[in-house]
Amino acid sequence: MSSRIPIVPESTEPLPGLGENTGLLSWVASIDHKQIGIMYLIGTLIYFVIGGLEALMIRTQLAKPGSELLSPEMYNQLFTMHGTTMIFFVVMPFLIGVGVYLVPLMIGARDMAFPRLNALSFWLFAFGGVLLYYSFFTQSGAPDVGWFAYAPLSEKPFSLNNGPTYWALGLLVSGIGSLISGLNNVVTILTMRTPGMTMRRLPLFVWMMLVTSFLLVFVIPIITSAFVMLLLDRLLGATFFTPAFGGSAILWQHFFWGFGHPEVYILVLPAFGIVSEVIPVFSRKPIYGYEFVAGSTVAIGLLSLGVWAHHMFAVGLGNVANAYFSLASMLIAIPTGIKVLNWVSTMWGGRINFAVPMLFATAFIIEFVVGGLSGVAIASVPIDWVVTDSYFIVAHFHYTIFGGSLFAIFAGVYYWFPKFTGRMMSETLGKWHFWLTVVGFNMTFFIQHFLGVMGMPRRTYTYHDMPYWGSMNLISTIGAFIIALSVLVFIWNIIVSLRKGEPAGDNPWKAWTLEWATTSPPPVYNFKLVPPVRGRRPLWDLAHPDSPDEPDAKIVTEGPNG
Amino acid sequence: MEALAGLTYYTIAISVVILGIIVIAVAYIIIRFRKKSGEEGEPYQDFGSLKLEITWTLIPVAIVAVLFLLTCSTMRAVDPPSADREPDIIIIGHQWWWEIVYPESGVITANEVHLPAGRQLLARLESIDVIHDFWVPELGRKIDLVPGHPNYMWIVAGEPGVYLGACAEFCGAQHANMRIRVIAQTEEEFSEWLTRQARIPETPSTGIAAEGAKIFQEIACMNCHTIAGTPAAARVGPSLTYLATRDTIGAGVLTNTPDNIAKWLKNPAKYKPGSLMPNMKLTDEQVNAIVAYLEALDE
């Protein structure tokens, strides 16, 4: 294979790996995609706990009207850091990390195309977060301008402290890591596939990682240039975003959302990929309409590049621009709807095993549909004019990012934990985790739709003059503590299962993609022998030689497109 | 507003139907297609159906088309072109209060928008510092106040009454306490209010209020605030000409009583931490004199 694809560098010495040396150095110095993937997962779990604690403090402050637990400055730092952390240091790196671990296995490769760049991506992510969080220990405190840091509030005249500088620098560093990771994934998926693994046989998770990676390559440069301009403004006295000196406040928003909306799909497409792997395996059926699930992903990826100004309907861009962005945003509902219906049809007629991964995947469908429908509603400009910047929006994006991405992430963790560690996670604790999450999540966020419609603006540390919002906020806060409890159960499950979980074997779920054809955890070199690929479900074909998916397919031994 | 209500109900109806279909389908699947004990082997391997895929692509296309047309017509109804008309009101966002200007009469006030009920006015919205957003939920749409980019919005309140609103775009430390009150009055009450606000008050010449007037001019108050008919003409902070006629102080942090004004003057940061109004370290006598002066302006 290496002779056919010279673009891929071959290591001349053995890669440091999970082998005999399992000391700290073997991790820090590792360029093995599985170790790097695991480090991503551990890193995101740490940031998840930190971001969750920030959310708990926010909800505690809001539990009653006129609470004086937190100062406004501290409250503003907390919601800024909560949003920034959950998006840039939890959901996004988790999905990149799980991709780094699984993509080479799923396409039958030995590692990523550029293993050293892979390590660089991880360390840029990790240290970008450290740089951001270091701000808490400085005199000025953490950034306090919101996760989209609208100019000119984020400019020097209105934010004299160094918070926004740390924010831009930390995200600049981790963003370069994401960009490199995107490139690495694109090259890996396009060039490292095992013989027989054509694009039409690619596992859907890999398809979605491919589209996500293209998005990363396209949009990270947009936000990186915006960060550089903001830093020039703040540190060297440039005026890109300061209207008082000829700059434009709206320009920042175009840059930010030009990145920021595709980012939403970067957060959710790999999650779609996870669900598209889990649902067929637990329904014991192939994915319904493979071409449409894969094709709709490409459609979403392309459309997502042209919808950014639906975050800016209240800015006053004019109704022609508003109408265009409204239509483009509504169109995304079509490929997304196709996906949902294909997942449901995959389950239809199946013999479904509702183990924990499938529970989360099933709940994901419902929660995500709620978030998707409120998304269509706010794509309609006049409705957006009423509810934007209110708690309705907070409810909406938590239904997509928590109810969507995070539910899928939990499904993925329970599904692949046996592969990562060689042990099963506890089903009992998993079910506790699942039900607490479902109850806590809906209790916290569904009611926020109504708070928004009633007039509660987001990002307000107090509502002392609106006491009748108190009871609804209290319900939301109780829900947040139930989520916290569910996370404790989840972490406890990980710890217990790592020590005493039942041995998993190679393929505990009787799944069909290539990562299940090797040992759990896989050896450094991944596969002794990659099984022949002559259909979308190589392990199904092996198990059912009399009824393979593609009866006429020939076994090929050379080239991915043979 | 009627067009907006129609669009909203239509959207909610579609959403409920779609969510209902998905929930019922999933619930049915959970009951019907759960693996039963004793079931062995694999179910029928179904790879998809082109007909179904085309159907559930075309139906959403139709829904989106209808929704988009409704969106466009509602957008026009809610936000008709203003045809180069001069604005009736100018609303200027400040960190963290609202300056309200009636250009025709020259009246400048703060944090309370008085309107004649039932009459549609054109508002121009500007910002002096960062981006704010004017939102009074009962009056419909919200709109950003963007520095260097004036926006226009039609504003109408059907019935006389007080409509509460707030800044909806995060604008810094006291974003939460940037409340706005829209006070809709009958035409007579409104024109009475406007005439009264346009009058130049007399500076009190005797008693403690006269003392207050002197203090106001001597210490730094006039660097930021306006009082019509005096050298104090700065617009950094709210105009105080007829402060006594307003319902609240500090853009909604306290109800407007002489006691509360005194408390506020002693230590603004206690009630609005982060507020740009400094603590002037006034003595009780100075505070009482200034309060008496501000109250006397309305007599």
Side-chain angles (χ1 to χ4, degrees):
Chain A
M1 202 168 128
S2 59
S3 63
R4 285 177 60 90
I5 305 149
I7 194 172
V8 179
E10 268 298 318
S11 174
T12 51
E13 55 203 53
L15 302 175
L18 290 164
E20 285 147 39
N21 182 4
T22 51
L24 191 63
L25 187 68
S26 81
W27 290 87
V28 173
S30 177
I31 53 170
D32 172 63
H33 73 100
K34 297 178 291 299
Q35 278 184 312
I36 292 170
I38 298 278
M39 287 195 289
Y40 264 113
L41 303 193
I42 294 169
T44 54
L45 185 63
I46 293 168
Y47 283 119
F48 180 57
V49 170
I50 296 172
L53 288 174
E54 286 158 355
L56 280 186
M57 285 194 264
I58 292 171
R59 281 311 327 163
T60 309
Q61 165 81 359
L62 294 178
K64 68 183 175 75
S67 166
E68 287 182 1
L69 186 71
L70 300 170
S71 69
E73 288 83 3
M74 181 45 82
Y75 183 86
N76 295 345
Q77 291 177 25
L78 286 173
F79 77 70
T80 301
M81 292 298 279
H82 168 72
T84 306
T85 302
M86 288 304 193
I87 289 168
F88 293 99
F89 297 98
V90 178
V91 177
M92 190 172 163
F94 178 92
L95 295 167
I96 289 176
V98 89
V100 157
Y101 193 109
L102 289 170
V103 164
L105 284 165
M106 286 181 141
I107 62 174
R110 174 173 172 168
D111 204 312
M112 299 287 283
F114 305 108
R116 283 177 179 79
L117 283 184
N118 198 18
L120 179 65
S121 292
F122 168 76
W123 290 108
L124 285 173
F125 146 71
F127 281 109
V130 170
L131 183 55
L132 177 69
Y133 267 90
Y134 178 72
S135 62
F136 263 119
F137 304 103
T138 64
Q139 209 180 357
S140 61
D144 57 356
V145 290
W147 85 272
F148 39 76
Y150 271 4
L153 181 64
S154 53
E155 293 279 10
K156 204 82 190 176
F158 304 106
S159 293
L160 286 167
N161 63 42
N162 285 324
T165 308
Y166 278 105
W167 180 83
L169 277 173
L171 292 184
L172 184 77
V173 169
S174 72
I176 292 169
S178 309
L179 174 62
I180 295 171
S181 188
L183 272 171
N184 205 346
N185 256 318
V186 169
V187 176
T188 304
I189 296 168
L190 291 184
T191 64
M192 306 268 292
R193 281 167 289 131
T194 191
M197 180 67 80
T198 61
M199 292 304 276
R200 296 187 56 137
R201 291 176 183 160
L202 212 54
L204 284 167
F205 178 75
V206 180
W207 254 113
M208 308 221 185
M209 281 310 296
L210 180 64
V211 175
T212 303
S213 302
F214 269 113
L215 282 179
L216 283 171
V217 174
F218 289 143
V219 303
I220 297 279
I222 302 175
I223 194 67
T224 305
S225 49
F227 288 146
V228 171
M229 283 185 271
L230 182 63
L231 288 169
L232 287 174
D233 279 10
R234 289 186 57 86
L235 301 175
L236 300 176
T239 58
F240 287 105
F241 307 122
T242 6
F245 302 99
S248 163
I250 298 177
L251 182 66
W252 168 264
Q253 300 190 18
H254 283 297
F255 271 102
F256 189 87
W257 293 118
F259 150 82
H261 201 78
E263 168 71 11
V264 172
Y265 292 92
I266 289 168
L267 298 178
V268 87
L269 287 179
F272 288 171
I274 293 173
V275 170
S276 303
E277 296 299 328
V278 168
I279 288 180
V281 168
F282 288 83
S283 304
R284 309 310 303 159
K285 280 179 61 200
I287 187 82
Y288 199 86
Y290 171 96
E291 292 85 353
F292 289 85
V293 178
S296 60
T297 308
V298 178
I300 292 173
L302 290 174
L303 283 170
S304 77
L305 294 167
V307 299
W308 73 91
H310 69 211
H311 296 269
M312 301 163 62
F313 285 153
V315 167
L317 298 179
N319 283 348
V320 176
N322 286 348
Y324 161 74
F325 283 104
S326 174
L327 178 61
S329 310
M330 287 179 188
L331 286 178
I332 290 196
I334 298 165
T336 312
I338 290 173
K339 280 192 160 45
V340 170
L341 292 165
N342 278 304
W343 292 324
V344 172
S345 303
T346 305
M347 293 164 73
W348 196 275
R351 201 161 285 168
I352 306 171
N353 167 17
F354 281 102
V356 179
M358 188 62 182
L359 289 177
F360 273 107
T362 310
F364 158 92
I365 295 179
I366 309 280
E367 314 291 11
F368 187 76
V369 167
V370 174
L373 290 169
S374 61
V376 174
I378 52 179
S380 178
V381 181
I383 296 178
D384 185 80
W385 282 340
V386 176
V387 296
T388 189
D389 289 323
S390 79
Y391 262 84
F392 189 90
I393 300 295
V394 179
H396 159 69
F397 66 70
H398 280 97
Y399 266 86
T400 57
I401 296 177
F402 191 140
S405 303
L406 204 57
F407 270 65
I409 283 173
F410 286 136
V413 169
Y414 282 91
Y415 180 55
W416 281 302
F417 188 90
K419 183 50 61 183
F420 296 163
T421 66
R423 289 180 186 276
M424 306 296 289
M425 284 184 87
S426 157
E427 276 286 305
T428 316
L429 285 173
K431 281 185 175 147
W432 274 101
H433 172 215
F434 170 74
W435 286 110
L436 285 170
T437 308
V438 168
V439 171
F441 166 73
N442 286 295
M443 193 167 163
T444 308
F445 295 109
F446 199 77
I447 207 160
Q448 293 183 356
H449 291 111
F450 302 109
L451 273 172
V453 173
M454 283 164 63
M456 183 163 170
R458 63 194 282 205
R459 301 175 162 184
T460 47
Y461 76 97
T462 182
Y463 50 99
H464 58 88
D465 50 344
M466 298 286 175
Y468 48 91
W469 292 344
S471 52
M472 293 170 93
N473 271 298
L474 181 63
I475 291 171
S476 181
T477 300
I478 295 170
F481 277 88
I482 296 177
I483 297 175
L485 183 62
S486 82
V487 172
L488 287 179
V489 174
F490 175 57
I491 293 173
W492 180 242
N493 195 352
I494 292 176
I495 294 169
V496 170
S497 305
L498 273 176
R499 290 158 155 255
K500 299 186 196 153
E502 271 181 56
D506 294 355
N507 189 3
W509 309 116
K510 296 194 178 61
W512 301 307
T513 38
L514 288 180
E515 77 271 26
W516 302 102
T518 183
T519 55
S520 309
V524 175
Y525 48 85
N526 285 353
F527 297 96
K528 275 208 180 80
L529 186 69
V530 182
V533 178
R534 50 193 155 150
R536 282 172 198 151
R537 300 188 293 168
L539 303 198
W540 168 277
D541 294 344
L542 278 184
H544 302 87
D546 46 333
S547 59
D549 284 350
E550 296 175 44
D552 303 330
K554 294 189 186 75
I555 294 178
V556 288
T557 51
E558 264 201 22
N561 300 311
Chain B
M1 288 300 274
E2 274 164 40
L4 181 58
L7 173 68
T8 307
Y9 290 135
Y10 186 77
T11 310
I12 292 174
I14 293 179
S15 303
V16 168
V17 169
I18 293 174
L19 183 63
I21 292 172
I22 301 288
V23 168
I24 290 168
V26 170
Y28 178 77
I29 286 169
I30 290 172
I31 297 163
R32 172 74 180 72
F33 298 114
R34 171 193 291 273
K35 184 179 194 298
K36 317 279 186 311
S37 58
E39 272 183 330
E40 284 303 321
E42 306 284 16
Y44 172 67
Q45 301 293 298
D46 182 2
F47 290 85
S49 147
L50 188 60
K51 267 186 203 161
L52 268 180
E53 300 285 351
I54 291 171
T55 315
W56 62 48
T57 305
L58 292 182
I59 293 174
V61 168
I63 296 174
V64 163
V66 174
L67 200 56
F68 176 65
L69 292 176
L70 263 176
T71 293
C72 289
S73 64
T74 311
M75 196 156 62
R76 253 192 98 76
V78 174
D79 187 28
S82 54
D84 297 330
R85 213 182 106 174
E86 286 300 310
D88 305 299
I89 312 177
I90 300 168
I91 300 172
I92 304 165
H94 294 252
Q95 278 181 321
W96 293 276
W97 60 282
W98 310 86
E99 185 176 9
I100 320 290
V101 180
Y102 294 81
E104 209 173 312
S105 58
V107 166
I108 299 179
T109 180
N111 301 329
E112 292 172 9
V113 180
H114 285 253
L115 295 176
R119 183 140 59 95
Q120 194 173 41
L121 300 186
L122 183 65
R124 187 168 80 205
L125 300 103
E126 304 169 1
S127 171
I128 207 82
D129 39 45
V130 302
I131 299 174
H132 303 278
D133 187 287
F134 180 92
W135 186 32
V136 181
E138 287 171 272
L139 302 186
R141 75 162 297 184
K142 62 170 71 68
I143 191 160
D144 285 356
L145 289 68
V146 185
H149 177 91
N151 275 328
Y152 289 84
M153 175 181 71
W154 293 102
I155 181 167
V156 58
E159 297 295 322
V162 178
Y163 301 85
L164 299 181
C167 176
E169 187 66 79
F170 179 67
C171 57
Q174 277 298 336
H175 165 60
N177 281 315
M178 191 166 161
R179 299 291 194 200
I180 190 146
R181 301 166 86 80
V182 170
I183 298 165
Q185 297 164 301
T186 61
E187 289 282 353
E188 299 77 50
E189 282 170 352
F190 174 70
S191 66
E192 197 180 303
W193 175 85
L194 201 61
T195 321
R196 188 168 160 203
Q197 297 281 320
R199 199 186 59 193
I200 307 247
E202 269 179 48
T203 303
S205 52
T206 54
I208 188 174
E211 187 66 19
K214 199 158 150 268
I215 297 169
F216 194 93
Q217 306 298 335
E218 277 170 9
I219 63 172
C221 306
M222 63 180 290
N223 292 353
C224 296
H225 294 285
T226 296
I227 288 185
T230 76
R235 286 166 71 179
V236 177
S239 161
L240 300 177
T241 310
Y242 285 109
L243 175 68
T245 64
R246 295 179 207 148
D247 293 345
T248 67
I249 49 178
V253 283
L254 292 169
T255 49
N256 186 4
T257 63
D259 275 357
N260 279 344
I261 297 178
K263 282 190 204 162
W264 170 262
L265 284 172
K266 290 286 283 182
N267 187 5
K270 185 176 172 197
Y271 304 96
K272 200 166 177 174
S275 160
L276 300 183
M277 165 115 175
N279 182 346
M280 301 299 294
K281 314 264 191 236
L282 302 172
T283 63
D284 286 344
E285 290 77 41
Q286 286 175 313
V287 167
N288 291 339
I290 293 171
V291 172
Y293 169 53
L294 294 173
E295 296 291 320
L297 290 170
D298 186 39
E299 279 160 9

